[in-house]
Every structure is written in C-alpha cells, then in structure tokens.
Amino acid sequence: MLKILAIGNSFSQDATANIELLCDELYVRNLCIGGCSLERHCHEAESGAANYSYQENGEQCVIGGRTLEWALKAEKWDIVTIQQVSYCSGILETYDPWMEKLMHYIKDHTKSKIVFHQTWAYEDGCETPGFANYHFDRKEMEDRIVKTCGQICEREKLEVIRTGEFIADLRNYDFFNIRRGGISLSRDGYHLSYNYGRHAAASIWIKHFTGKTPAFFKRQFLSEGYDIIRDVLEKFQGE
C-alpha cells in the first residue's frame, strides 16, 4: 500500500477526502491549515508550532494540533505532496524562495518522494477576493495555474498531480458548465462540491498513483455526472 502525506490546506482536504473511499491501494493523510501558502508552511516549520489539523478522509483524526515535523515522522511515507495556496497558484513570484525551502525541510525529515499538487481555478461568478488576481476570469486562472506549475515543476523536476487541468476539462461539458445551466463542481465558488467535485479530485489522484480508474465509476446506473468523470478520466493525458 502506497502511503501519501498531503501538506496543504482546504484544497488538499477536498482533493484527498474521498480517496480511501474509492481505492484500497492508497493510504492518505492530509496535513492542513486553512488558506496555508508555501510561505506559511515554511514559517510553521521554522516555528515548530502545532497549528496543523491531521486528517483522515477529510476529517481530523487526532486530538489537538500537530506540527509539520510530527506529521513527517508519523509514518514511513512513500509520497509527500505539496501545493501553493489556490489564489497564488498562478503567480510565479509567490513560489520563491518558499517552495525550495519547504522541499529542503521535507528532505531533512523524510526520504519520501515529493510530488506537486496542481490546484484548480475558481468557478465562474466566484466573488472571493483572491480571484481578483485573475480578473475574476476562470479561464485566465486555469491557464496561469497550468503555466506556472509547469515552470516550477520543470525547474524542480517534480511530478504533478494535474487536478486543476482535470477539473477544467470537466467544466467543458454542459453537465458541469454553470454558464450553460449545468451543475457546479464547487460548493461555494472555490472549494469542491462534496459529491462530484471531491470524487473527481480523488479519481485523478488515484489515476496518477495507481494508473487505474476507480471501480466506483464503472458501476452500472450511476448518474450522468459520474459517467462523465469516468469517461474524461479514462482518456485524460495529464497524469
């Protein structure tokens, strides 16, 4: 069983919450501070403060806060994922020097492979202030995230879990396109919906690490939305 620790925020919580429900080959824990950027992760590492929530299936699974060092030593992790806070994900200058510092810290405390998690753009009509970085334009945010993540991960020689690109592909279908009367993959404009959104993110993580489409999506009589997720997942070339 592959053991994965996600170091992130509410976006890594959304992405990992349903993974173990859909796949028995992955053991996943999420280390979370809401809205946490790469810069703040570095400050948390330096301070040693126990400000993180340690989560299983999207819910806190130990009492009280934990430190980054504690989480890195909690298991013999095969993979540690990192990510930028969503509203800065497409802004190149927000990564330096924090990404490199965080990677050094992880390498000092574990021999795990580091993988980058690409987050998704906000939904059309979202009014959260961070969306102003992209002129409240979903397509602009999508494009800048892909470009920036590509540049950073090529430089650092990191694999990328392309969750953002997968969510963008799904939004091209009428079923998930709110401009065409479809269902939003978001529950509030930026976090993923508890059904389709979280299942979609979990599925691309599972595909990335196992190469397989989760059996859940191959069941008969699922809704049209889950059928679309399966079909897009099976032909997705972003892994």
Side-chain angles (χ1 to χ4, degrees):
M1 179 178 290
L2 198 68
K3 290 190 173 184
I4 303 171
L5 175 67
I7 298 173
N9 47 47
S10 60
F11 273 46
S12 59
Q13 180 182 25
D14 275 347
T16 62
N18 291 353
I19 291 176
E20 290 188 8
L21 304 178
L22 300 177
C23 178
D24 60 7
E25 297 181 40
L26 302 178
Y27 175 97
V28 183
R29 295 294 180 266
N30 182 49
L31 191 68
C32 174
I33 296 176
C36 198
S37 63
L38 290 169
E39 179 178 0
R40 181 170 177 186
H41 285 304
C42 291
H43 294 324
E44 293 293 332
E46 291 172 0
S47 72
N51 290 329
Y52 286 93
S53 171
Y54 185 70
Q55 300 174 342
E56 175 183 4
N57 298 327
E59 299 294 337
Q60 186 162 325
C61 61
V62 295
I63 297 173
R66 289 294 185 269
T67 67
L68 179 54
E69 181 179 2
W70 178 92
L72 289 170
K73 294 180 177 178
E75 301 278 354
K76 189 175 180 180
W77 304 108
D78 299 293
I79 305 289
V80 173
T81 69
I82 59 176
Q83 64 189 57
Q84 180 57 296
V85 67
S86 59
Y87 55 84
C88 291
S89 290
I91 303 175
L92 187 63
E93 55 267 29
T94 67
Y95 286 77
D96 293 320
W98 312 111
M99 185 163 169
E100 187 174 356
K101 283 189 173 184
L102 181 60
M103 290 175 62
H104 280 309
Y105 185 85
I106 293 168
K107 290 175 182 178
D108 284 344
H109 291 84
T110 178
K111 295 182 180 179
S112 310
K113 180 180 180 179
I114 300 174
V115 175
F116 191 79
H117 177 220
Q118 177 200 75
T119 57
W120 51 91
Y122 298 163
E123 184 62 273
D124 290 314
C126 179
E127 297 180 353
T128 191
F131 204 12
N133 292 334
Y134 310 94
H135 306 97
F136 296 95
D137 186 316
R138 191 194 80 197
K139 186 65 168 60
E140 179 183 339
M141 189 173 184
E142 289 172 351
D143 291 345
R144 287 176 61 186
I145 288 173
V146 171
K147 181 178 180 181
T148 301
C149 289
Q151 291 175 317
I152 289 292
C153 292
E154 181 179 5
R155 184 188 75 188
E156 302 296 339
K157 296 179 171 54
L158 295 180
E159 285 183 16
V160 183
I161 310 168
R162 303 188 184 278
T163 311
E165 290 173 60
F166 187 61
I167 295 297
D169 282 359
L170 291 173
R171 285 170 168 164
N172 289 327
Y173 286 77
D174 288 352
F175 188 89
F176 292 123
N177 189 323
I178 65 171
R179 289 182 176 178
R180 300 173 187 165
I183 295 172
S184 177
L185 285 165
S186 171
R187 63 184 186 268
D188 56 9
Y190 47 105
H191 293 108
L192 295 178
S193 61
Y194 292 118
N195 48 14
Y196 294 122
R198 282 189 168 186
H199 269 56
S203 74
I204 198 62
W205 277 60
I206 294 167
K207 178 76 175 289
H208 182 93
F209 289 113
T210 72
K212 302 173 185 177
T213 296
F216 168 85
F217 294 103
K218 297 183 178 181
R219 296 176 184 172
Q220 292 183 328
F221 309 117
L222 290 174
S223 73
E224 180 183 354
Y226 291 123
D227 288 343
I228 291 171
I229 293 172
R230 177 202 62 219
D231 292 344
V232 175
L233 182 67
E234 289 183 342
K235 65 185 179 182
F236 187 68
Q237 298 299 314
E239 65 274 12

